[in-house]
Amino acid sequence: MKVVAERPSANREARGSGLPARAVERIAAPDDLAHLFGQQLVQVHAPLCHPEIESGDCIEVDFDRRTFRHDGLYLIAIDHEDGARWHGARRFQIRPDTEGCRLWGLDVAAQAWAPVSPDLQSRITVYGVVREVYKPASKLRRAAA
């Protein structure tokens, strides 16, 4: 996964508009997401959750949300039993059941909700909750054509 984070630059202004410029900082490795805090705008260079988050989209992520607290779209990593690590975004819900509340995840391939086992939940790292997905206008025009 290749992403960049937006950070305000120090004393530069955009020409003609008087608006502060923003510098884009490249995130070298997905695990660097663990070092971000607060709300950040991140440009995505690979699909994270088809069709919601595709390459070229910008996502607003609240990196202060490191646990599943409510229903939403989360930026996560899953450690597999063979040592591989998957990075992406997935939708999760917290549903009541007979033992209190249980975490459910959207299975993108099956397009259905499924309960998340305690074993799988222990292997999920939450980087943050995705607050908004911004699609470039050029992509929207191509999709409409």
Side-chain angles (χ1 to χ4, degrees):
M1 173 172 77
K2 295 181 183 174
V3 295
V4 292
E6 179 187 82
R7 65 178 164 85
S9 64
N11 298 312
R12 296 188 299 178
E13 290 191 4
R15 291 185 187 161
S17 68
L19 299 173
R22 296 203 178 260
V24 176
E25 180 179 352
R26 187 170 194 88
I27 297 173
D31 288 333
D32 290 345
L33 293 170
H35 305 294
L36 295 174
F37 294 95
Q39 290 200 1
Q40 302 286 332
L41 189 61
V42 178
Q43 185 177 14
V44 178
H45 294 282
L48 296 182
C49 184
H50 178 76
E52 274 187 274
I53 303 174
E54 294 289 337
S55 180
D57 294 347
C58 289
I59 57 175
E60 182 179 339
V61 181
D62 182 353
F63 286 100
D64 290 338
R65 299 284 183 158
R66 303 288 176 151
T67 59
F68 298 111
R69 293 166 131 181
H70 54 77
D71 298 355
L73 182 61
Y74 287 84
L75 191 59
I76 62 168
I78 299 175
D79 294 317
H80 293 281
E81 294 163 348
D82 64 1
R85 186 166 232 214
W86 176 87
H87 294 87
R90 288 294 180 266
R91 288 204 167 276
F92 291 92
Q93 289 182 343
I94 298 174
R95 294 184 180 181
D97 71 359
T98 57
E99 299 171 10
C101 290
R102 186 160 187 188
L103 184 66
W104 286 62
L106 181 61
D107 183 339
V108 177
Q111 298 211 349
W113 290 94
V116 178
S117 70
D119 173 56
L120 177 58
Q121 192 171 348
S122 70
R123 294 184 283 120
I124 297 175
T125 301
V126 177
Y127 291 119
V129 64
V130 177
R131 297 280 183 208
E132 191 71 48
V133 178
Y134 301 99
K135 303 271 185 194
S138 59
K139 284 175 67 175
L140 297 175
R141 282 193 298 271
R142 280 195 306 266

